[in-house]
Amino acid sequence: MNVLNIPVSPALLDAWRGWLAPARQPFYLTEAEARRLDLPTLARASVTLTPEERDTFTLWNVAPVAERLAWLTPADVDALTPAARRELLRAQVRHGRGNVPLGARFADLRPGLPAGRFLWRPGDLTGAVLARLIGQGARSCRRQEVADAVWNAAAHALPDARTLAGTFPAGSAGNCFGTVMGAAGVPDAAHTWMQREPFEAFLHGRTVPGGQDGQPGTLLLWRSGNGLAQHAAVTLGGGWALHKPAQTWWTPRTVLSVPELKTATRTRGWRLERRTLT
């Protein structure tokens, strides 16, 4: 099946189901909430999540006040009273934890889901549900619209761009910096959560200031007011560009028109600079 105009294998669909509906998952609570719900918890700081768990449950967004973590299975949650279950799930939304969907948004695809907040079970995550869930708020990839002549002209500066374009990562690895470096031929970069330091070293060693949006190999680099690189993309030529909008496992390496990509990336306080691959 296709998601965002990108083919997705049955194995990757199964991996998505496993990350969204795991055998157990973390629930973040304040001390008072944990006592009121009478749940066994650990200090949040003592728990290390896998990269996929970090993304699925948006760990970066969880409020610091939620200092306790309860590992619960679906059976544990089902065993709570309806009132306690509602309180637990509402607390997750309040604290910024992800993967607490609203059933009403999927009722047409999966009749029988609770209208309010609930937790995914593997059987709920049909292909159609996954396509909507992964695709919400994202722009569809336009790789198929790029002419062979454009790919061929870009191959010298971007030897791996065509292979990467229109693909989902196999997990929580790879971000915008790694995608640009990987497209330029840096081994394993596309599968690495690339930090700013190695990316800046790449910019220093492999690019020069300036560039044209219509030519292949122009890096579009957005920096915040403090000068830190925040996002990067690379032009393919012919009015097209490649980027990975975020580091999460559900974010594909997407081809968009250059104007569309700029619009999607525009953020208050960021400035766009251009560099050309050498």
Side-chain angles (χ1 to χ4, degrees):
M1 65 173 287
N2 286 355
V3 177
L4 296 172
N5 289 340
I6 297 170
V8 183
S9 70
L12 187 54
L13 289 174
D14 283 342
W16 289 354
R17 292 185 182 101
W19 296 328
L20 289 164
R24 66 169 191 166
Q25 53 184 279
F27 293 84
Y28 296 90
L29 300 164
T30 65
E31 292 273 7
E33 290 166 345
R35 286 195 301 270
R36 188 162 59 250
L37 290 167
D38 193 25
L39 291 173
T41 62
L42 302 168
R44 173 179 166 185
S46 70
V47 177
T48 300
L49 301 187
T50 68
E52 288 74 27
E53 289 170 335
R54 175 203 67 210
D55 286 353
T56 301
F57 304 112
T58 59
L59 181 60
W60 60 85
N61 197 47
V62 177
V65 69
E67 297 176 332
R68 306 301 298 178
L69 182 150
W71 282 113
L72 301 177
T73 67
D76 294 330
V77 176
D78 289 344
L80 297 173
T81 66
R85 193 180 313 125
R86 287 193 297 270
E87 182 177 355
L88 175 68
L89 296 180
R90 288 169 180 167
Q92 303 318 292
V93 176
R94 187 166 59 251
H95 296 319
R97 202 206 85 159
N99 199 30
V100 193
L102 274 171
R105 295 179 180 172
F106 300 90
D108 59 321
L109 301 178
R110 192 69 176 169
L113 290 177
R117 299 289 176 179
F118 74 106
L119 301 176
W120 291 117
R121 308 299 170 95
D124 297 327
L125 294 164
T126 64
V129 168
L130 285 169
R132 178 176 294 176
L133 184 62
I134 300 300
Q136 59 189 359
R139 294 174 184 253
S140 294
C141 181
R142 300 176 65 184
R143 181 188 191 279
Q144 294 179 340
E145 300 177 49
V146 181
D148 284 341
V150 172
W151 290 118
N152 292 338
H156 177 70
L158 300 164
D160 293 327
R162 192 170 192 173
T163 300
L164 289 172
T167 62
F168 281 93
S172 294
N175 57 3
C176 62
F177 302 149
T179 296
V180 167
M181 293 169 66
V186 177
D188 297 323
H191 311 291
T192 302
W193 190 3
M194 194 64 62
Q195 301 300 307
R196 288 189 177 95
E197 291 78 5
F199 181 65
E200 293 287 359
F202 167 80
L203 293 178
H204 179 76
R206 290 282 306 276
T207 70
V208 294
Q212 298 180 5
D213 292 355
Q215 299 299 314
T218 298
L219 268 66
L220 304 176
L221 177 62
W222 285 264
R223 295 186 185 276
S224 51
N226 58 6
L228 293 178
Q230 299 294 341
H231 187 63
V234 64
T235 62
L236 304 171
W240 300 104
L242 170 69
H243 81 149
K244 189 174 188 295
Q247 86 280 358
T248 50
W249 57 257
W250 61 81
T251 307
R253 305 165 185 111
T254 302
V255 174
L256 300 174
S257 71
V258 173
E260 187 180 11
L261 189 147
K262 287 184 190 175
T263 298
T265 307
R266 186 176 295 123
T267 301
R268 181 183 294 274
W270 290 9
R271 58 180 175 81
L272 172 62
E273 68 178 57
R274 294 169 176 81
R275 300 186 68 89
T276 298
L277 284 165
T278 59

